[in-house]
Amino acid sequence: MGHEVLGAPTPWAPPATGAVVVYRGATVIDGTGGPARTATSIVTDGATIRAVVPDAEIADTTATVVDLTGHFVVPGLIDSHQHIATPPDRAAAEAMLRRQVHGGVTAIRDMADDLRQVAELARAALVGEIPGPDIHFAALMAGPTFFDDPRTQQVSQGGTPGAVPWMQAITDETDLPLAIAMARGTGARAVKIYADLTGDTVAALTAEAHRQGLAAWAHGTVYPASPGEVVDAGVDTVSHSSALAQEGTRHPLTTYKDKPPFEYDRFADGDDPHLQALFERMREQGTILDATAGMWANYFAAEATDPESQARVRANSRMAARITAHAYRVGVPVSAGSDYETAPERPFPALHDEMAFLVRECGIPAAQVIRSATLVGAMSMGAQDVMGTLEEGKLANFAVLSANPLDDMAHLADIEFVVKRGRGYDRSDYQPAAPGR
């Protein structure tokens, strides 16, 4: 007689098709950047949205009805720049993912980590073994000189940094089709082009990644490849507004470890012409800017303990805000990414702070910031066909708020509950971790 094998429990699994719920009476901010729609119903069927229509179009129904009168609904938020396993720590990562989904984040773009752990976390969150957002992740590629960085040691334990499929050193002799195929084998959706590579190599990596069906996500400056060379290579996204300040610099670009100083005076008064030309090319090509604009003010400021470093952080923050605002004005699609997480005892994820920074310091209208954190975030992962807006056929991912985020982005903290793939997460069920845990 055979033995029955049972899988791990899936208490957070999506509901089955046929489980229909009508969320009625809401004011819906759909993620397109358009005006809010009042008296609107969202009809979900299992893990997907069946309809988003005026309440009046919903006839009497035997489906479960949730009254959202007086509430505001936004699509599930997407953090387009996260790291959840550098170094790998399963308990810490699960706590981070739990806070994100209870804070309205239903998907993240992981920008290189120990993909052995990330892939398992992505699977567990997808099937419902653990609470957390969907995870789309990249395998990192850089020049050999980068791989004495201690972070590469942390994520390659048991292997050699630069010689594992999720973290590869690229040279002129590298078999690029094989390297990209190895990256694909990790489950990655993209390659992250990081540092110490020429513009020609960035272009070759991008072309081969696209040929094999992977996206190309790159740092704004890859050293010695300039921002212009990175954009001209055809990458899908570039990360870090402040990295784009190296476009048109009078200093030579050599290696990641030998970055030239930022020329703050170029951004003090008006728009820089070098960036204007770069942003026009990005707009024409549809290249997404993963801005991480608030990282200096929201993360590095806490680490700056002396007057000199504090002044540098403030200057970098102002520069990042100006560059991000310039990109937005030109029409570059800007996504909302954090590149860090807040302390475990904090009640909400870092993406909330990034969105507030985009409104407050970059002057981007609230509706467009929500679009950056939803539709453009989905575009940054190549997932806009299934998430990012509230419309028929997409995943049932949304957050229900008791106050209007268009009035004040701080109202993102007024979450009543989150729906991810049709499964509800009540905010009252979430408890922050104890300090130091």
Side-chain angles (χ1 to χ4, degrees), residues 136-208:
H136 295 221
F137 53 89
L140 184 144
M141 296 187 176
T145 51
F146 171 69
F147 286 95
D148 60 359
D149 187 299
R151 294 171 297 176
T152 68
Q153 316 286 328
Q154 293 173 339
V155 301
S156 302
Q157 296 174 52
T160 301
V164 292
W166 59 94
M167 196 144 295
Q168 297 185 54
I170 304 299
T171 71
D172 291 340
E173 287 72 46
T174 298
D175 182 338
L176 292 186
L178 177 60
I180 298 296
M182 291 170 64
R184 285 188 66 195
T186 67
R189 303 286 188 100
V191 295
K192 181 181 181 181
I193 301 170
Y194 196 86
D196 296 358
L197 297 169
T198 66
D200 287 344
T201 302
V202 174
L205 279 170
T206 299
E208 183 58 30

Side-chain angles (χ1 to χ4, degrees), residues 45-109:
D45 184 351
T48 62
I49 295 173
R50 178 186 288 182
V52 182
V53 295
D55 289 338
E57 294 186 17
I58 301 294
D60 291 340
T61 177
T62 58
T64 300
V65 176
V66 179
D67 184 9
L68 295 184
T69 301
H71 290 76
F72 301 82
V73 179
V74 298
L77 304 177
I78 298 170
D79 189 332
S80 64
H81 200 123
Q82 263 296 346
H83 298 277
I84 59 173
T86 300
D89 182 328
R90 179 66 183 247
E94 287 194 22
M96 182 190 302
L97 296 173
R98 184 168 60 250
R99 177 173 60 181
Q100 286 169 340
V101 75
H102 280 94
V105 178
T106 56
I108 63 172
R109 192 171 70 125

Side-chain angles (χ1 to χ4, degrees), residues 14-15 101 106 125-126 132-134 396-398 418-425:
V101 75
T106 56
L126 181 65
D134 288 350
N397 292 348
F398 52 88
V418 177
V419 175
K420 184 238 175 172
R421 290 182 175 261
R423 203 276 187 196
Y425 294 79

Side-chain angles (χ1 to χ4, degrees), residues 13-14 27 32 49 65 112 133 147 169 188 271 273 281 283 323 343 345 357 361 366 388 400 418 424:
T27 295
T32 65
I49 295 173
V65 176
F147 286 95
D271 294 338
R281 298 205 303 279
R283 180 194 63 214
I323 291 173
E345 61 270 20
F357 187 93
E361 303 297 333
V400 177
V418 177

